[in-house]
Structure formats: C-alpha cells, structure tokens
Amino acid sequence: MKTALIIGGGFSGCAAAHQLEMLSGWDVTLVESAPFLGAGVRTQWFGGHPYTFGPRHFLTPYEETFTYLNAIVPIRRCPEHEFLTYVERDNAFYAFPINMTDVRTMPDYSEIQAEMDEKKREEFRGAKEAKNIEDYWIGSVGQRLYDKFIDEYSKKMWLIDDNKKIDTFGWSPKGVALKDGPRAAWDSAISGYPYAPDGYDYYFGFATQAARVLLSTTITNFDIPNKNVTFNGEKKSYDIIVNTIAPDTIFDECYGALPFLGREFHKIVFPTETVLPENVYFLYYANDEKFTRLVEYKKFTHHVSPTTLIGMEIPTFGNGKHYPMPYQSEQIRAERYFADMPDGVFSIGRAGSYLYGIDIDDCIRQTMLMAETLRAGGQDHPVPGENYRFPELQR
Ligand SMILES: Cc1cc2nc3c(=O)[nH]c(=O)nc-3n(C[C@H](O)[C@H](O)[C@H](O)COP(=O)(O)OP(=O)(O)OC[C@H]3O[C@@H](n4cnc5c(N)ncnc54)[C@H](O)[C@@H]3O)c2cc1C
C-alpha cells in the first residue's frame, strides 16, 4: 500500500480522502487541527437554526460535481434563488449580477444608456484591455453602474482603498452583466443546498470513512521536498501529500507570507418566520456599511421555525485565512511555493491553491483531477508530475 497524507480536513481534504478511497491501494492519514471536519462548511446551530460560517451554497457549472455530491448528500435544487444588492444612492434593491431589466428602472437610466452607447461604439475595448478590476468593470458596464454596484463593495470586500490594486479578477461575474432578467447570470449553473438539516455534515464522515482521521492535531513541522511532516512529536514520511492549507505555511514562509483576509461572522435571529422576499437568498450591500452581505439560511434549509436566522459577514485582517488576495504579485509569490513542491505533492482547495475563485464545487473537481492523474500513473507510478494545482479552474 502507498501512503498518503492529507493536510487539513475541510471540504477539499475530505473530498481528497474519498477519491483516494475510490482509487484503492492507498493508506490515507488525514490530519485536522480543529476538533471536527468540514471547517466553515460544517453546520452549527443557534436558537434551533442550522447555519454555516458564511452561506456555502452549492453553485456549479459542472454537472459531474453535482452528480457526485448529490449521490452522497442529496441536494435540493433552488434555481429560483436571487441575490439583491442595496444601492443607497437610488434607495433601491437591484438584482446582482446587474441586468438590463433593473437598469431600465434606474433614475439615471438615460445617462447610463448614453455611457453604454458610447461603450458599444468602442466595442468594449476598454474592458478587453483592462489591467485591473476597476477598468474592467467600467469598460464592461460604464462608470455609473460601476459606482453603484462595484466601487464601495469591492473596496470593503478586500479592505483596500483603490480597486485598481486588484489586478487578477477572472472570478468576477462581469461577462454576464447586462442580460435581461434578474436570474440570467445563474441560468447555466446548478444551484442548491443539501436537504439534510445538518447540511453537508454527513459527507465529511462518509468521505473520510476509510482514512485514519486525526482531529485536534496540528502539523507543526513540514519538510515538503522530502515529503516528511511532524505531528504529535513524530516525524513521518509519505508517498504523496495532499495539502489544503496556505502554501507559504508548509514552507515556513521562506519566500514571505501570502496575504489573506478573514471574516467576522455574526448570526442574528429575527422574530418573524422569514425576513427576505420569497426568492431572495442573499442581500449584498454596496455602500459604506461594514458588512458585505446577509444570508437567510432558511431559504436553503427549509427548516420550520417561528423565527429566522440571518448571517452577516464583515471582512477583517485576521480571523482565518479565508480570502487569498487577488494580486498578481502575490500569485507570483504563491507560484514560487508551488514550484518547490516535488512530484507527489498536490496543493488544492481555496487556501492551498491560493485562489479566491475556488468554491466547494472546485474543491471536488480538483480532487477528481488529482485522482485522474494518479490513476493515469498506474499503481507502480502513481506520483504526478507538475499537477500540483489546476490553473484552468480559475473563474
Ligand atoms: C465566508 C465564506 C463563504 C463561502 N460561501 C461559499 C458558497 O456559498 N458556495 C461555495 O461553493 N463556496 C463558498 N465558499 C468557499 C468554499 O466554502 C471554500 O472554498 C471551501 O470550503 C474551502 O475548503 P478547503 O478544504 O480548501 O479549506 P478549509 O475549509 O480552509 O480547510 C482547511 C482545513 O485545514 C485545517 N488546518 C489548517 N492548518 C492546519 C495544520 N497545520 N494542521 C492540520 N490542519 C490544519 C483547518 O482547520 C481547516 O479545517 C465560502 C468561503 C467563505 C470563507
């Protein structure tokens, strides 16, 4: 049997354990510093309401990731779900991504239209050549819509004073911005949430059932070039390592620390059955409020209660490595760490890939690609070459 170590028992670590079980022939150890699996995707309870750390709903363009997850934790589809953005200057809620049906109702529609006509003549040249997220959005939708929806939101989301600093932005949904109808942007994606009251929790146990799972255990020393790590005071060596934590951590920050943002999370119970309108699941706030969005969990979970729980997220420095910064310079730094990972070391998941664009479905897909790589190598040569991460998954 070949040996595999999985560093971290969040969604990607658990999904990796399941893929290795299905490959067979692997003796898998998963080490997780928290006393539970799933990290922020694990369901918690407050006032009888299930919630997770942030929304964590399943939204995917990949049929195969839905089919895979749905077979283990059946998913209730919610194609009707809408996101609204509150724009204080219009004192109005509009659907996000921005769509033409709403734009036509805006008080300054004629000015917006003039900007669009002008842009049309330029064939979105500005957007195509944009080097940062501000130029891209202004090039895509014009200054006025950028000011309403993006400017303040993006600055508070990333705790920055200038959106021109964001020079990688493949994940931003600009390409779908100006269709008709409030849900146009999500038409091609599968949207859903597990039926089970405890959300994805069954998945974490199921996916890791064949692995040796060590909870409340932190890996303290990493010798990645030799595929050795130390935990519980013992040094151990593995045939492959699947890393799901920040790549700088496993190299003792030898090229400098990679910046991340964290989140403060607040849960608020309201004395009514529901708070948000029928098909609205998220509210985004694009003004000077400190919080970025609110989510009403009942919309996903359908649990019955005379009260309802709303989750609120506030970007912070610290309190978790949740959001890799979307700066090219930092991605170049991350590449230096990836380049030092030998054959047989995969770095996956949001922190492990150092990519904000990695969501739950991408975590699953990355582990599927990892399994494909291992399978293609056969039992004798299961160690992959350069496939330590999967840049084509950026979106
Ligand atoms: C607030 C928020 C909301 C989100 N909402 C959505 C959403 O609605 N839909 C969606 O698809 N995606 C969403 N995402 C993204 C998605 O949930 C994540 O990409 C995914 O859960 C990341 O899982 P992971 O396993 O890569 O990383 P993590 O969940 O960060 O897991 C890493 C694990 O490693 C452990 N660990 C760290 N250091 C060590 C160590 N030294 N030794 C041992 N263990 C260690 C940690 O305790 C943790 O459990 C959201 C993310 C956030 C932050």
Side-chain angles (χ1 to χ4, degrees), residues 7-14 31-34 36-41 53-59 200 217-220 222 244-245 249 263 265 282 293 300 313 321-323 348-352 356 358-361 363 366:
I7 305 173
F11 212 104
S12 53
C14 294
V31 179
E32 165 57 52
S33 55
F36 55 84
L37 294 172
V41 190
F53 187 94
R56 319 279 182 160
H57 92 292
F58 194 67
L59 183 67
Y200 301 91
T217 305
T218 298
I219 300 183
T220 47
F222 301 89
T244 73
I245 68 174
T249 306
R263 283 291 180 273
F265 178 78
F282 293 13
R293 66 181 168 189
F300 294 120
E313 291 154 80
K321 294 191 172 185
H322 299 308
Y323 289 83
I348 61 166
R350 185 180 275 192
Y356 164 57
I358 299 293
D359 279 338
I360 292 171
D361 59 325
C363 292
Q366 285 185 320

Side-chain angles (χ1 to χ4, degrees), residues 7-34:
I7 305 173
F11 212 104
S12 53
C14 294
H18 188 217
Q19 291 295 333
L20 289 169
E21 179 192 352
M22 290 191 291
L23 276 180
S24 74
W26 288 93
D27 176 75
V28 180
T29 301
L30 183 154
V31 179
E32 165 57 52
S33 55

Side-chain angles (χ1 to χ4, degrees), residues 234-269:
E234 249 185 281
K235 189 169 168 177
K236 301 197 181 208
S237 174
Y238 295 89
D239 293 317
I240 69 165
I241 292 181
V242 183
N243 172 57
T244 73
I245 68 174
D248 56 340
T249 306
I250 63 170
F251 284 99
D252 299 324
E253 297 182 359
C254 65
Y255 300 126
L258 290 166
F260 284 84
L261 285 183
R263 283 291 180 273
E264 254 179 41
F265 178 78
H266 297 276
K267 48 199 188 304
I268 309 163
V269 176

Side-chain angles (χ1 to χ4, degrees), residues 11 20 38 52 77 112 130 188 225 247 287 338-339 341 349 356 368 388:
F11 212 104
L20 289 169
T52 47
R77 305 273 287 251
I112 293 170
S188 59
N287 318 290
F338 296 130
M341 293 178 188
Y356 164 57
M368 287 174 165
Y388 47 80

Side-chain angles (χ1 to χ4, degrees), residues 89-111:
R89 74 187 66 190
D90 293 359
N91 191 18
F93 285 91
Y94 300 120
F96 192 83
I98 310 166
N99 69 85
M100 280 311 296
T101 311
D102 282 347
V103 170
R104 286 188 203 100
T105 70
M106 291 181 183
D108 52 349
Y109 176 50
S110 53
E111 288 93 335

Side-chain angles (χ1 to χ4, degrees), residues 34-48:
F36 55 84
L37 294 172
V41 190
R42 187 161 198 98
T43 299
Q44 304 180 58
W45 297 85
F46 186 77

